[in-house]
Amino acid sequence: MNQDPIGLNGGTNLYQLAFNIKRWMDPLGLSCKDPKDYGYDNERDYIAESKKLNTARLKRILEELDQGDPHSFKEDFLGRGAPISHYDVYQQKKSKELILMKKDGSSPIRTNVGCCG
């Protein structure tokens, strides 16, 4: 198997055939809980109590979680070729879940990554 058989430059994971589906599954049921489990009435309030992470802090968190670098982390959730520079990463105050949000404050994407359980 060649790392790049047709010369398309596979990015950081040269043997990747598809996006990392391990991040989309939760066979043991360990993903982030419902916002109500953390004392929030709805998801909007849950997301409102999130803090934007700077790049250095995000890198440290992703290294601790063995989730790769910020670029590939965003790409896994938004898709290859997506405008990842239009998104910032936030961390929810109580659950520690990482949330992707457009820079204009719209379209939050819960990632189920980083939750304390």
Side-chain angles (χ1 to χ4, degrees), residues 30-93:
L30 301 174
S31 67
C32 296
K33 300 176 184 175
D34 187 89
K36 291 179 182 175
D37 294 336
Y38 293 103
Y40 297 98
D41 292 330
N42 56 54
E43 192 164 295
R44 186 185 74 231
D45 293 341
Y46 175 83
I47 290 172
E49 282 209 20
S50 301
K51 181 181 178 184
K52 181 179 171 184
L53 297 174
N54 64 34
T55 304
R57 176 79 178 124
L58 177 59
K59 281 182 182 179
R60 281 195 305 275
I61 290 170
L62 293 175
E63 284 174 6
E64 289 171 13
L65 298 171
D66 196 26
Q67 294 287 331
D69 64 90
H71 181 84
S72 63
F73 172 76
K74 289 180 183 181
E75 203 170 63
D76 278 350
F77 288 97
L78 301 172
R80 185 164 285 176
I84 62 173
S85 62
H86 296 173
Y87 286 81
D88 288 319
V89 180
Y90 288 72
Q91 187 173 39
Q92 209 286 330
K93 179 180 173 182

Side-chain angles (χ1 to χ4, degrees), residues 18-25:
F19 293 116
N20 186 352
I21 61 167
K22 287 189 248 178
R23 292 188 185 165
W24 301 343
M25 300 177 349

Side-chain angles (χ1 to χ4, degrees), residues 89-100:
V89 180
Y90 288 72
Q91 187 173 39
Q92 209 286 330
K93 179 180 173 182
K94 292 182 182 176
S95 72
K96 306 298 183 199
E97 176 184 9
L98 299 181
I99 299 170
L100 288 170

